[in-house]
Amino acid sequence: MDDNGDIAEMLQPVTITDKPPQVEGPFGFDNVEGNSFTPRVIVSDSTLDEPHLLYSWFVADVEQARNLDSKIPTIITNNGEFLLTLNVTD
């Protein structure tokens, strides 16, 4: 505002988009039969989304698996090769 009472104003449109979470590997894990292992990956997202990320691990044909809905599950395997799948939702 100046001394004549005039006001200047500018409007600027802003677009905000949400990017999906990023999972950073690698996913190479070695284990001895019957021992447990905990796969560890780095997941990044926006500061507001990170506390609310939902993790879902899937491992086919394993003896036991615990905490498959957490960032760090515990998996016990037998002999063989296994495919680990991680889905992260924000």
Side-chain angles (χ1 to χ4, degrees):
M1 181 186 293
D2 63 18
D3 62 348
N4 295 328
D6 293 331
I7 297 173
E9 183 176 288
M10 182 178 110
L11 298 175
Q12 178 66 41
V14 176
T15 302
I16 300 172
T17 58
D18 186 26
K19 293 184 179 182
Q22 298 295 312
V23 178
E24 300 172 26
F27 280 107
F29 305 104
D30 290 325
N31 191 30
V32 177
E33 176 186 14
N35 289 337
S36 66
F37 75 101
T38 52
R40 297 181 190 276
V41 296
I42 296 171
V43 177
S44 58
D45 204 346
S46 70
T47 303
L48 294 176
D49 284 342
E50 278 195 15
H52 307 287
L53 293 177
L54 301 174
Y55 297 84
S56 177
W57 289 87
F58 177 76
V59 189
D61 302 321
V62 298
E63 290 294 310
Q64 295 179 14
R66 294 184 187 100
N67 302 323
L68 292 178
D69 59 350
S70 70
K71 185 175 183 176
I72 304 173
T74 299
I75 300 167
I76 300 174
T77 61
N78 215 340
N79 287 338
E81 293 185 16
F82 303 91
L83 179 65
L84 278 69
T85 303
L86 171 60
N87 292 312
V88 181
T89 307
D90 65 1

